[in-house]
Amino acid sequence: MKRFNNFIIGLQQDLKAFAFLIILLMVFRILFLLVFKSQLAGVATVDIVATLWYGFRLSLKTAGLMVFIGAVFSTIVQLLLPCWPAAKIRRYWHSLVVCVFTILFFARIPYYKIFNSGFNMMLINGIHDDWQAILATGVEEYQLLLRLPLAFAVAAVLIYFLLRLLRTKNWSAVKQTGTAVSLPEKTFAVTTKKMYCACAALVVFLPLFFVFIRFGASFNYAGSISWENAARLNSNLLNEAVLDDGQALYRVYISNRCLRETAGTNLTQAEIVKQISILGGDPQAATIEQAFSKKVVQAKMQQKPQQIVMIMGESYGVWPLLPEFVQLGLAAESEKLLQSPHSASVNTFLAHGTGTMPAINGYLTGLADAYLYENYQPESYKTGYATGLGKMMKDLGYKTVFWYGGFKDWQNLGDFVLAQNFDEFRCADEIKYAEGDAWGCPDEALFEHIEQYIGEHREEKIFHFIMTTSNHPPYTIDVAAKGFDKERVKNMLPDSIAGDDETLNELGHFWYSDHVMGLFVQKVEQKIPSALFIITGDHSERFSFKRAEDLRTLSVVPMIFYGQGVEKDWFQANKVGCPIQLIPTLMEMLGQPGQEYASILPSLFDEHFNKAFNHRLWACDGTLGELDQIDKQELPADQSKVLQKAQDIKKMALAAKKVTAWRVLKGNAIKIRQ
C-alpha cells in the first residue's frame, strides 16, 4: 500500500508540474508576440489563434520531456525505493527547468531582433566567434546587465509559485477496513482488489498518455507537429512563435548533429587537393569551381525549348513504374511519357537524400549530400554556387522560378532559393485553395496556379523548378473524388502490398500526384509545344512493403526527359545517375559548344562514366549497393569487376563529401590565407 500511495502522490505532483510548464510556455509565447506586435499588422486573428494552437501542441512535447525526466528520477525511483527523497529531487529539477526556460525567454527577445529568428544555427556559429565582442555587444546594445538579473528575478518569482503548487495537498489512499471511519480531507479508502485494478488501469492509461504527448496531441506521426513542419503560417514572427525555446534549441541540436557528422570538416589544403584529383578535377585550380570547370562539347538539342519545367514529386519513387507494380496504374501518366518517342529516361537514378530538403539542396548547389543542410549555412547566403541549377539555367538565358507547394519559411527555403540564382520564389502562401494540410496546398491547386503563370508568360524563356507536397502524410486528399479506383487497385495488389484502407489511401495519393502532374504536362504542352519536361522525385523509401524489397524498389526515383528534340536512345538500359549529374546534363543538352560550366561529376551523356552515388548508395552499370557494405558484399564471379568499380565509387563519394564540406564551410578558394 505504501508503494502504491507514493506512486499516486508522485503522479499528481508530476501532473501539477506538467500543467505549470505548459502554462508557462504558453505565457512566454504570448509575451513574445506582444513584444513584437508591430510585426502583426495585417495578420488575421485566425492566424494568431492557429499559432497558439500549434505552439500548445508543440509545447506538450517539450513539457512532457521535462516532466518525464523529473518523474524518472523521483516518482519511478521512489516506487522501487520507498525512502527515496522524491519530493526534494522533483522540486530541484523543476525549479531548474523553470529558471532555464525563463533565461532562454529573456535571451530570445534580443536574439530575434538580431537574427529575425528564434534560436538557430547561428547559435553554434557564435561559439567560435569573438566572445569578448559578443559580451560587449550584449552589454552595450542589449542591456545584458539589466536583462540577466531581471531574468533571475522573474525566475525566482515563478519558482515560488511552482513550489506553492507542488505543496498543495494531494489525494492519498488508506487501506479500507471493515468498520466505517471518518477519513481526513483528500483521503480515500481502497481495498487490495481496487488497488490492483487501479494499477492495471494506470498501466494502460499512462503509455497512451505518453504517446499522446509525444506526438503533440496526436497518436501518430501523420497527425503530429514538429519543429520541421511547424512553419505553416505566412508570418515569420508567427512561425517562430510556434516554437518554444526548447524546440528551437532542438532545431539547433539536429542541425549541428548533421554538421558534426559531415566528412571532411577538418580538411587541410593538401587533403582537399587530393580529393579534387580523385574526382577528376584540376588540382592546380585556385577555386573549387575552377577545379571542376568543363566545356559543352556539342548541344544535344538543336531547337532550344521556350520553357523548361522540372517537376520533383514528393516521395515520388520509381517502384510504381517497375514491371511487378506497373499494372496498378499508380504512375500511368509517367508511363505514358516513358512510352512516347519524345522521351528518354535513366533507369537507375538515385535520390539525393532521404528527405525533401536534402534533395532540394542537391539541385540548388550541385554538391554532394554531406549532411550539412546548406540551407542553414552562412556561405549559402553570401554567393550562389556555380555548380547549382539556378546558375546554370541563368547562363543558358532562362529566367528561373522556383515553385513549392508548401510554405516559404519551411527550412528557410524561400530565402535560400533566392540566394541561389533564382529570380522568383512562389509557394502556397500566394495560392488560394480549398483543401490541403500542414505541408501546403494540393498539387492540383499548385499546378493550376503554375499553368496560369506560364500562360501569362509564354513569350519568355523560363526555367520552372516545381516541388510538390501532396504525396506526403497525413494524406488528406479525397482521392476517390478525384478519380482513384480504389477497388480496382485493391483487386490487383501483389502480395508485397497490404490491402488495408490506410495503405490504399497512401497509394491513392501517389496516383493523385501522378495524375494531376500528367494533366499539367498536357496543358503546358498545348500552350508551349517546344517545352521540355523533367520528371523526378525527391526521395523514395517511405512506402512500407509487407516484405523486404530490393534497393531499386525502395530507393530509386524516376528521371524522365520529355519534349520535342528528346531522343529515345540517349541512355542505355543499364544507365545509372544521380542528381548532381542532371545539372551538367542540361548544359550538354542546351549549351553552346565551348560554353563553360562547373560540375563535380560528368553529365549523364558521358558513356565512359556509368556510375553514381548518393548519401548511402552506389550504382554502377545497373547494379545497386550500399556504400558501407561494399567490403562485405558478395557478388557473382562474373560481376567482380562491378565490385571493383563499387570500391572506386566509394572513394569518389567520400571525396565529393569532403569537397562539398570545404566549399560550404570554408568557401570557394582552395588556398587558405595565412
Side-chain angles (χ1 to χ4, degrees):
M1 177 62 72
K2 184 176 180 180
R3 294 178 189 274
F4 174 75
N5 206 35
N6 285 343
F7 183 74
I8 291 296
I9 292 174
L11 184 60
Q12 292 174 74
Q13 293 292 81
D14 293 333
L15 290 175
K16 289 176 187 177
F18 179 70
F20 186 90
L21 287 177
I22 283 291
I23 294 172
L24 180 64
L25 293 175
M26 288 302 296
V27 169
F28 284 164
R29 182 171 285 112
I30 293 170
L31 290 175
F32 177 71
L33 290 174
L34 290 175
V35 170
F36 296 100
K37 62 182 179 181
S38 62
Q39 297 184 23
L40 296 177
V43 174
T45 302
V46 66
D47 287 342
I48 297 175
V49 173
T51 299
L52 297 178
W53 169 239
Y54 296 148
F56 171 75
R57 292 182 59 191
L58 202 55
S59 291
L60 285 176
K61 301 165 74 170
T62 304
L65 177 62
M66 296 300 103
V67 172
F68 177 75
I69 294 173
V72 166
F73 291 100
S74 57
T75 305
I76 302 302
V77 176
Q78 191 179 41
L79 187 63
L80 304 174
L81 304 172
C83 295
W84 184 257
K88 182 181 294 186
I89 292 174
R90 187 182 296 108
R91 288 196 300 269
Y92 287 157
W93 168 250
H94 289 299
S95 295
L96 176 63
V97 169
V98 168
C99 184
V100 168
F101 274 97
T102 303
I103 293 172
L104 288 174
F105 171 71
F106 274 81
R108 190 206 311 186
I109 305 302
Y111 195 93
Y112 184 84
K113 289 180 179 178
I114 299 170
F115 299 112
N116 198 35
S117 170
F119 300 122
N120 57 16
M121 276 299 294
M122 295 305 295
L123 198 65
I124 299 298
N125 296 335
I127 293 176
H128 307 288
D129 213 330
D130 186 339
W131 275 96
Q132 287 186 333
I134 292 175
L135 184 61
T137 302
V139 172
E140 296 173 10
E141 299 294 331
Y142 298 102
Q143 303 83 44
L144 178 64
L145 297 180
L146 174 63
R147 285 180 181 273
L148 194 58
L150 183 60
F152 279 112
V154 172
V157 173
L158 292 172
I159 291 171
Y160 168 76
F161 285 109
L162 169 69
L163 296 180
R164 285 199 61 176
L165 177 64
L166 292 178
R167 290 192 183 101
T168 57
K169 197 166 185 180
N170 300 291
W171 285 94
S172 58
V174 296
K175 190 169 184 179
Q176 184 173 324
T177 61
T179 58
V181 295
S182 178
L183 296 175
E185 181 185 0
K186 290 197 172 184
T187 304
F188 58 95
V190 294
T191 62
T192 302
K193 181 179 180 181
K194 288 181 178 179
M195 182 182 71
Y196 285 130
C197 288
C199 291
L202 287 172
V203 167
V204 174
F205 171 76
L206 289 178
L208 289 175
F209 181 72
F210 174 81
V211 172
F212 183 75
I213 298 303
R214 163 65 182 84
F215 288 111
S218 179
F219 286 101
N220 54 46
Y221 167 77
S224 177
I225 183 171
S226 68
W227 69 266
E228 290 185 295
N229 69 356
R232 305 181 180 188
L233 302 155
N234 296 335
S235 164
N236 180 67
L237 175 66
L238 293 184
N239 286 326
E240 289 300 321
V242 170
L243 301 183
D244 57 51
D245 293 320
Q247 293 294 325
L249 289 176
Y250 182 63
R251 174 173 64 180
V252 174
Y253 166 74
I254 293 297
S255 300
N256 187 51
R257 186 179 68 181
C258 293
L259 179 63
R260 286 187 287 105
E261 291 174 352
T262 300
T265 53
N266 296 317
L267 281 174
T268 63
Q269 181 178 327
E271 179 68 10
I272 196 61
V273 168
K274 177 182 177 182
Q275 304 307 317
I276 289 172
S277 297
I278 291 174
L279 289 170
D282 179 7
Q284 304 299 320
T287 68
I288 296 293
E289 288 158 3
Q290 289 175 5
F292 295 101
S293 177
K294 296 175 173 60
K295 290 184 179 181
V296 175
V297 179
Q298 182 178 2
K300 295 289 183 179
M301 297 182 71
Q302 299 305 313
Q303 181 183 356
K304 304 300 185 287
Q306 181 69 15
Q307 297 198 19
I308 302 173
V309 180
M310 178 175 173
I311 304 172
M312 187 159 71
E314 170 64 52
S315 305
Y316 202 71
V318 80
W319 69 266
L321 291 165
L322 298 179
E324 56 267 43
F325 305 109
V326 72
Q327 75 276 6
L328 297 176
L330 301 177
E333 296 299 328
S334 289
E335 180 66 18
K336 288 180 185 177
L337 299 182
L338 285 172
Q339 297 303 321
S340 169
H342 301 296
S343 72
S345 65
V346 178
N347 289 339
T348 305
F349 195 81
L350 303 180
H352 194 73
T354 56
T356 300
M357 199 62 231
I360 294 174
N361 280 332
Y363 285 112
L364 266 60
T365 67
L367 300 171
D369 183 7
Y371 302 101
L372 277 174
Y373 275 77
E374 291 89 341
N375 51 307
Y376 287 120
Q377 298 301 326
E379 180 66 21
S380 299
Y381 298 89
K382 294 178 182 177
T383 59
Y385 296 105
T387 49
L389 193 54
K391 173 66 164 59
M392 291 193 179
M393 296 315 301
K394 290 182 78 67
D395 287 347
L396 288 169
Y398 288 88
K399 173 183 174 182
T400 49
V401 182
F402 192 106
W403 299 90
Y404 176 48
F407 305 108
K408 176 180 182 293
D409 291 319
W410 177 75
Q411 296 271 17
N412 288 347
L413 185 58
D415 293 338
F416 179 60
V417 165
L418 294 175
Q420 291 306 314
N421 293 294
F422 274 80
D423 298 308
E424 297 180 16
F425 176 85
R426 295 176 175 270
C427 59
D429 296 327
E430 60 186 76
I431 299 174
K432 293 181 179 180
Y433 53 95
E435 56 184 346
D437 55 35
W439 293 100
C441 69
D443 289 354
E444 187 175 10
L446 174 65
F447 284 130
E448 287 176 354
H449 194 74
I450 301 171
E451 181 196 345
Q452 180 181 353
Y453 180 97
I454 290 176
E456 295 170 352
H457 298 79
R458 67 177 70 200
E459 300 303 321
E460 297 182 55
K461 289 184 64 177
I462 305 177
F463 170 75
H464 304 268
F465 187 110
I466 304 171
M467 180 68 232
T468 68
T469 58
S470 290
N471 188 30
H472 189 287
Y475 303 116
T476 56
I477 304 294
D478 184 357
V479 293
K482 303 296 182 181
F484 177 61
D485 192 341
K486 174 181 172 181
E487 292 303 317
R488 186 194 72 82
V489 172
K490 184 176 182 179
N491 292 332
M492 299 183 69
L493 287 176
D495 294 339
S496 58
I497 299 179
D500 58 277
D501 288 341
E502 184 177 349
T503 300
L504 287 167
N505 186 43
E506 185 175 350
L507 295 175
H509 279 72
F510 197 111
W511 170 88
Y512 165 80
S513 295
D514 177 80
H515 177 68
V516 296
M517 178 272 294
L519 295 178
F520 168 74
V521 169
Q522 293 173 27
K523 292 176 181 178
V524 172
E525 192 174 20
Q526 290 173 1
K527 286 183 170 67
I528 305 179
S530 68
L532 171 67
F533 298 90
I534 305 163
I535 312 298
T536 188
D538 59 350
H539 58 81
S540 190
E541 300 187 348
R542 173 168 284 145
F543 184 78
S544 298
F545 292 90
K546 289 170 61 177
R547 62 168 184 251
E549 292 287 350
D550 63 292
L551 287 174
R552 183 182 306 279
T553 303
L554 292 174
S555 306
V556 172
V557 296
M559 176 47 67
I560 304 170
F561 299 90
Y562 170 76
Q564 294 182 10
V566 176
E567 299 179 14
K568 201 73 178 175
D569 60 353
W570 272 355
F571 311 113
Q572 297 179 348
N574 69 343
K575 186 64 181 178
V576 303
C578 58
I580 52 181
Q581 289 182 275
L582 172 65
I583 302 167
T585 299
L586 288 174
M587 288 296 296
E588 297 292 341
M589 287 171 61
L590 306 168
Q592 298 295 325
Q595 185 173 359
E596 293 188 358
Y597 64 93
S599 174
I600 65 174
L601 290 183
S603 79
L604 294 168
F605 293 116
D606 190 329
E607 297 179 357
H608 303 290
F609 190 89
N610 193 21
K611 44 195 172 184
F613 57 84
N614 65 5
H615 60 295
R616 75 180 191 90
L617 301 176
W618 63 269
C620 179
D621 299 331
T623 302
L624 276 170
E626 297 183 58
L627 288 169
D628 61 0
Q629 297 295 315
I630 287 177
D631 297 331
K632 307 173 186 177
Q633 193 159 356
E634 295 182 3
L635 292 176
D638 60 346
Q639 294 192 38
S640 59
K641 291 183 178 179
V642 174
L643 185 57
Q644 179 60 51
K645 289 181 180 180
Q647 293 170 338
D648 293 338
I649 295 173
K650 185 174 182 179
K651 294 178 183 178
M652 292 184 63
L654 182 57
K657 290 183 178 182
K658 291 181 177 180
V659 167
T660 295
W662 183 284
R663 176 66 183 89
V664 174
L665 299 178
K666 298 186 178 183
N668 192 24
I670 294 175
K671 185 176 181 180
I672 302 176
R673 293 181 180 179
Q674 300 298 326

